[in-house]
């Protein structure tokens, strides 16, 4: 259809020139010819504007509506800190998958290039394997009380580091240390389209997640309210982004009681509590993600 309109506009423009060259006269005849030429020019101008609008509408369709959904695959660097045991786990490898859509809140871009939207990720899966353990008994940004002084272990000097164990190879990792999380994300985003198919976006999202951890022979589970802040650069269907993620909660923990080895297993009065220990522990997670996104 656009090609037909363009051809018709070109033909009308040529007709204008031919009409102007053919009709040469004086008086009323010339005025009539001039009016016809002006009318043809008006038609050509209108058709050209329609073609431009159709091209812009098609470009907007490809930039905004056809690229609203996203599927992210990323690398995760993460740390897990126990606020009760003063132990920090550092990740060896991690991966995340996010799938969602951006719902733009207005049809036309502000200033011809900016759109505000609401991101909803209906799936966010995160897995991390921890390999190194750091244990501290002194004040630390990750372990202390947040005031810079005192640590609850008798060290009042914030520069007194007590003793550290970093990447302790002798630490007993019976089953390894793993963390699985599954959640959803929702939050505002701002996207700028400075030129053609190039888009730059930033966002802030709330991510409620279910978290399960296997730390040696202990299993933890809990609900964690995460917060995400990130940015991405996209060209057509391919996007590259980074984001930070943080959150914490008081986990429920379960472990096998080592002291149960000496029990009489034929005792009928024994129950599950004689073999399993349950406890609670405060933990905080920090993540840094780098991801490749496919928009469609």
């Amino acid at each position: 259809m656009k090609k037909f309109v363009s051809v018709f506009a070109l033909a009308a423009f040529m007709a204008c020139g031919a009409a102007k060259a053919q009709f040469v006269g004086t008086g009323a005849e010339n005025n009539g010819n001039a009016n016809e030429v002006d009318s043809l020019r008006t038609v050509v101008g209108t058709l050209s504007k329609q073609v431009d609008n159709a091209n812009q509408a098609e470009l907007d369709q490809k930039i905004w509506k056809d690229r609203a959904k996203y599927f992210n695959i990323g690398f995760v660097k993460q740390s897990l800190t126990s606020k009760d045991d003063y132990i920090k786990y550092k990740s060896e490898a991690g991966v995340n998958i996010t799938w969602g859509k951006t719902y733009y809140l207005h049809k036309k871009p502000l200033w011809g290039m900016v759109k505000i939207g609401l991101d909803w990720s209906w799936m966010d899966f995160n897995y991390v394997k921890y390999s190194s353990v750091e244990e501290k008994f002194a004040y630390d940004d990750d372990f202390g009380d947040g005031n810079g002084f005192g640590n609850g272990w008798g060290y009042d000097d914030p520069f007194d580091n007590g003793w550290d164990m970093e990447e302790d190879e002798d630490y007993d990792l019976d089953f390894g240390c793993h963390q699985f999380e599954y959640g959803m994300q929702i939050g505002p985003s701002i996207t700028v389209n400075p030129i053609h198919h190039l888009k730059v976006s930033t966002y802030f999202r709330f991510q409620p997640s279910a978290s399960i951890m296997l730390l040696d022979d202990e299993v933890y589970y809990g609900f964690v309210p995460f917060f995400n802040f990130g940015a991405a650069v996209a060209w057509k269907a391919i996007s590259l982004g980074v984001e930070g993620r943080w959150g914490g909660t008081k986990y429920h923990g379960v472990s096998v009681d080592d002291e149960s080895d000496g029990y009489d297993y034929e005792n009928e009065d024994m129950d599950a509590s004689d073999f399993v220990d349950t406890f609670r522990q405060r933990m905080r997670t920090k993540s840094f993600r780098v991801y490749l996104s496919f928009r469609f």
Side-chain angles (χ1 to χ4, degrees), residues 4 85 89 117 123 135 163-164 169 216 265 267:
F4 173 77
D85 291 344
Y89 300 85
M123 183 189 79
E135 185 174 355
W163 59 276
D164 299 339
E169 296 180 356
D216 302 336
Y265 292 99
N267 187 352

Side-chain angles (χ1 to χ4, degrees), residues 145-213:
D145 58 9
N147 297 321
F149 296 94
N151 49 62
W153 291 84
Y155 297 103
D156 293 329
D157 184 0
F159 299 101
D160 185 355
N161 290 328
W163 59 276
D164 299 339
M165 292 191 307
E166 296 188 3
E167 299 185 5
D168 188 354
E169 296 180 356
D170 295 331
Y171 195 86
D172 186 16
L173 304 178
D174 295 338
F175 300 103
C177 298
H178 310 267
Q179 185 171 4
F180 305 85
E181 292 153 348
Y182 186 91
M184 303 171 63
Q185 301 179 7
I186 187 168
S189 65
I190 299 176
T191 305
V192 181
N193 172 224
I195 184 173
H196 204 44
H197 288 277
L198 177 65
K199 290 190 299 184
V200 181
S201 61
T202 184
Y203 55 85
F204 179 80
R205 302 170 185 164
F206 172 64
Q207 181 187 337
S209 301
S211 178
I212 298 177
M213 296 182 295

Side-chain angles (χ1 to χ4, degrees), residues 258-276:
D258 295 335
E259 296 180 358
S260 64
D261 294 341
Y263 290 167
D264 182 6
Y265 292 99
E266 295 181 357
N267 187 352
E268 296 180 356
D269 295 333
M270 296 180 64
D271 55 23
S273 61
D274 295 324
F275 301 96
V276 178

Side-chain angles (χ1 to χ4, degrees), residues 38-270:
D38 291 339
S39 298
L40 288 173
R41 286 178 175 173
T42 302
V43 171
V44 171
T46 302
L47 292 175
S48 298
K49 187 175 182 179
Q50 291 178 354
V51 171
D52 293 339
N53 291 338
N55 290 334
Q56 186 61 46
E58 182 180 4
L59 183 60
D60 289 343
Q61 175 75 22
K62 292 181 178 179
I63 292 175
W64 302 108
K65 294 184 179 179
D66 294 347
R67 301 284 186 256
K69 293 182 181 180
Y70 50 85
F71 184 83
N72 305 344
I73 301 177
F75 164 80
V76 183
K77 181 178 177 61
Q78 185 165 295
S79 66
L80 175 68
T81 304
S82 170
K83 303 294 289 183
D84 295 327
D85 291 344
Y86 296 86
I87 295 177
K88 179 191 286 187
Y89 300 85
K90 296 181 179 180
S91 64
E92 174 185 359
V95 64
N96 83 284
I97 298 175
T98 305
W99 189 11
K101 182 178 180 179
T102 300
Y103 296 88
Y104 296 107
L105 303 182
H106 46 96
K107 185 175 181 181
K108 293 184 178 181
L110 303 176
W111 306 290
M113 60 186 298
V114 179
K115 274 196 174 186
I116 300 174
L118 183 66
D119 294 348
W120 177 40
S121 303
W122 48 79
M123 183 189 79
D124 185 277
F125 171 78
N126 194 88
Y127 164 74
V128 166
K129 180 181 184 300
Y130 296 104
S131 62
S132 62
V133 181
E134 179 180 345
E135 185 174 355
K136 292 189 177 183
F137 288 145
Y139 173 78
D140 184 89
D141 289 339
D142 291 324
F143 303 113
D145 58 9
N147 297 321
F149 296 94
N151 49 62
W153 291 84
Y155 297 103
D156 293 329
D157 184 0
F159 299 101
D160 185 355
N161 290 328
W163 59 276
D164 299 339
M165 292 191 307
E166 296 188 3
E167 299 185 5
D168 188 354
E169 296 180 356
D170 295 331
Y171 195 86
D172 186 16
L173 304 178
D174 295 338
F175 300 103
C177 298
H178 310 267
Q179 185 171 4
F180 305 85
E181 292 153 348
Y182 186 91
M184 303 171 63
Q185 301 179 7
I186 187 168
S189 65
I190 299 176
T191 305
V192 181
N193 172 224
I195 184 173
H196 204 44
H197 288 277
L198 177 65
K199 290 190 299 184
V200 181
S201 61
T202 184
Y203 55 85
F204 179 80
R205 302 170 185 164
F206 172 64
Q207 181 187 337
S209 301
S211 178
I212 298 177
M213 296 182 295
L214 175 63
L215 303 180
D216 302 336
D217 58 350
E218 299 176 344
V219 177
Y220 296 84
Y221 61 94
F223 170 81
V224 186
F226 285 102
F227 294 94
N228 293 31
F229 177 77
V233 178
W235 177 260
K236 294 187 177 181
I238 304 298
S239 177
L240 184 64
V242 296
E243 70 177 18
R245 190 180 67 124
W246 64 95
T249 191
K250 194 168 187 178
Y251 284 86
H252 296 268
V254 179
S255 68
V256 177
D257 189 356
D258 295 335
E259 296 180 358
S260 64
D261 294 341
Y263 290 167
D264 182 6
Y265 292 99
E266 295 181 357
N267 187 352
E268 296 180 356
D269 295 333
M270 296 180 64

